[in-house]
Amino acid sequence: MTVYALKVVRKKEVVEMLFNCLKAGEGRFGWSWIETADLRELRERIEESGWESLSKEEQECYYGQDFLLDLRDGDHVVYVNVPEWGQCTLAEVAGEYRWRYEPGDFNHRFPVDSASVRTFDRNADIVPAALSRRLKLQGRWWRVYAQAEFESLLGALDRGALSKPRTAESNVAELGDRIRPTLTEIAGHIQHTHPAKDLESLMEIVFRNVPGVRDVSKQQGRADHGADLLVEIEYGPIPGLMQSKTIAVQVKSFWGEHNESSAVDDVRRAFEYHSNADMGLIVSTAERAGKNLERELEGLQEEIDKPVALLIGADLAAFVLRYGGVFLE
C-alpha cells in the first residue's frame, strides 16, 4: 500500500467539488485544463518522440502529475484541508488512472471506494504524531512514508474511536504504546541472561534500589516455603509514623504466555508459612498472563483477602529499568 497526500486549491467551490466526488467514488486532481492532457497518451508520446514533442501546456499538465499513473488498487489518497482547514479526507484507490475531459480543471481522475472515504482532524489524538507531521503541506502532492502510523489511524477509524485534540498527555500515551513492545522484548533479554535462580538474584538487587525498601531477604532452596524473596517496605508521609509491610515475592522465569498456576500455589504457601507477609507478588518474564493464571490469581485474592499482584513482561522490564538503572551505567 502506498499513501499519497494531495493538496488542493483553497477555493470553497473546488474543495466542495472534490469532497463530493470522493463520496461518489471518484478522486480528481488538477493541472489538466486542456483536452490533450491525458497522462497515458502524453507518456506514450514522450517515450516515442521525447519530451520536446509536447506543447508547453502539455508539459505543464504532465510534469508533477505523472505519479497518478502509478496508482493501484489498495493505495490510499489523503486530501489535505478537505473539507475544512485542518481536516483531511482519505479514500482507498479502487483502480487505475483514467481521463475524462470537461471544460475547466481537475480532469485527472481515478476510482476510489466510496465506502472507504473518511474525514479526520490531522491534529487529533487518534492520528499518530509522525503521521500528523507528514500531513502538513509539503507541495502539491507527496508520499506519506508512515505506513504503520497510517494503518493505526485506519484501525482507529474502523473502531469508531472518538477524536480528541492532541495534547501532551495523549502524546505521552502514544509513546507508551510504542515503547511497550520494546519493553516486552527487554523482558525476553532478562529471561535469556537471568534464567531460573539467576532471576531471583537480579530481583533482589532491583528491590534494594526501590525507595522505601528496608530489607530484602532471599529465601534458599526448599526452605523458601513459597517465597523466593521477602521484601520489607516502609511507607508513610511523616517520619516516626511510618508503617512497615512485608511482600512475599515468587519469581518465575518464563517465555511466551505464563498460564500454569504453580506460582499462585507458591504464594499461598508463603502466606501460610510467613505469618508476617502482608502482600504477595508474582514476578514473571513471560510476555503475558494466560487465562488460567489470571483466574487462579483472582481466586487466591478472594480466598486470603490480601493483595496479590502480578509483575509480568513489559511491566517487569519497566520496573527493572526504573530501579535497576545501575545495569545501564
Side-chain angles (χ1 to χ4, degrees):
M1 176 180 68
T2 303
V3 183
Y4 299 89
L6 309 179
K7 172 187 174 182
V8 301
V9 178
R10 289 304 304 161
K11 290 183 179 180
K12 182 178 180 180
E13 62 272 17
V14 171
V15 173
E16 290 180 351
M17 179 272 292
L18 293 174
F19 186 58
N20 290 332
C21 284
L22 285 172
K23 292 189 293 182
E26 184 176 67
R28 298 177 67 173
F29 199 64
W31 288 57
S32 51
W33 63 89
I34 58 176
E35 293 186 62
T36 58
D38 185 334
L39 295 176
R40 296 165 299 186
E41 295 181 1
L42 293 179
R43 175 172 285 184
E44 289 181 4
R45 286 170 53 191
I46 293 170
E47 292 174 351
E48 293 175 358
S49 306
W51 177 252
E52 296 302 325
S53 65
L54 305 186
S55 69
K56 185 176 184 297
E57 285 187 318
E58 289 172 340
Q59 291 177 353
E60 291 175 347
C61 290
Y62 183 86
Y63 184 76
Q65 283 66 245
D66 56 321
F67 77 95
L68 294 168
L69 294 173
D70 297 325
L71 291 177
R72 296 294 182 269
D73 287 358
D75 289 343
H76 281 76
V77 291
V78 182
Y79 283 80
V80 179
N81 292 330
V82 173
E84 302 289 343
W85 179 264
Q87 293 184 328
C88 296
T89 297
L90 66 82
E92 182 176 348
V93 177
E96 297 182 356
Y97 168 86
R98 60 194 184 193
W99 169 262
R100 185 175 76 252
Y101 177 74
E102 295 175 356
D105 204 351
F106 295 94
N107 291 308
H108 298 311
R109 307 163 190 264
F110 50 91
V112 300
D113 179 1
S114 59
S116 72
V117 176
R118 312 285 183 84
T119 297
F120 61 93
D121 188 326
R122 68 183 175 197
N123 294 312
D125 61 347
I126 63 171
V127 184
L131 177 59
S132 177
R133 186 173 61 252
R134 289 292 297 159
L135 294 178
K136 301 299 189 293
L137 295 179
Q138 301 177 36
R140 294 190 61 247
W141 72 272
W142 60 96
R143 289 274 301 273
V144 178
Y145 293 100
Q147 183 167 327
E149 290 81 359
F150 187 76
E151 291 176 350
S152 173
L153 170 62
L154 290 179
L157 293 172
D158 287 342
R159 294 191 302 272
L162 296 178
S163 178
K164 297 177 292 186
R166 179 176 295 280
T167 63
E169 290 74 16
S170 66
N171 284 344
V172 169
E174 182 187 339
L175 177 61
D177 290 341
R178 290 186 170 277
I179 288 177
R180 197 162 187 83
T182 303
L183 291 175
T184 301
E185 183 179 348
I186 290 174
H189 291 312
I190 294 173
Q191 153 71 9
H192 183 76
T193 59
H194 290 78
K197 294 296 180 182
D198 290 335
L199 183 59
E200 297 175 19
S201 299
L202 172 64
M203 295 311 299
E204 178 184 7
I205 296 172
V206 173
F207 273 112
R208 291 189 185 280
N209 290 329
V210 175
V213 169
R214 292 181 54 188
D215 185 51
V216 181
S217 174
K218 185 177 181 182
Q219 309 300 293
Q220 299 294 328
R222 295 183 180 276
D224 65 13
H225 298 286
D228 295 317
L229 302 172
L230 289 177
V231 178
E232 185 179 351
I233 187 166
E234 196 174 55
Y235 67 96
I238 303 174
L241 296 178
M242 306 289 282
Q243 296 187 33
S244 181
K245 297 287 186 179
T246 298
I247 309 171
V249 182
Q250 176 59 221
V251 180
K252 294 295 185 181
S253 183
F254 264 84
W255 291 106
E257 182 176 270
H258 187 160
N259 202 37
E260 65 96 10
S261 59
S262 63
V264 177
D265 297 330
D266 289 334
V267 173
R268 180 182 287 107
R269 288 194 298 113
F271 280 125
E272 292 171 352
Y273 184 83
H274 300 283
S275 59
N276 63 328
D278 304 288
M279 298 176 283
L281 176 65
I282 298 172
V283 174
S284 174
T285 56
E287 291 183 15
R288 59 194 173 277
K291 291 183 178 179
N292 181 59
L293 176 60
E294 292 177 343
R295 182 171 55 250
E296 292 297 320
L297 186 57
E298 291 176 2
L300 176 62
Q301 290 172 327
E302 295 176 359
E303 174 188 333
I304 62 177
D305 195 27
K306 291 183 178 181
V308 183
L310 176 63
L311 190 62
I312 189 170
D315 292 332
L316 170 62
F319 185 79
V320 170
L321 290 175
R322 182 175 183 181
Y323 297 115
V326 63
F327 308 130
L328 302 178
E329 296 179 356

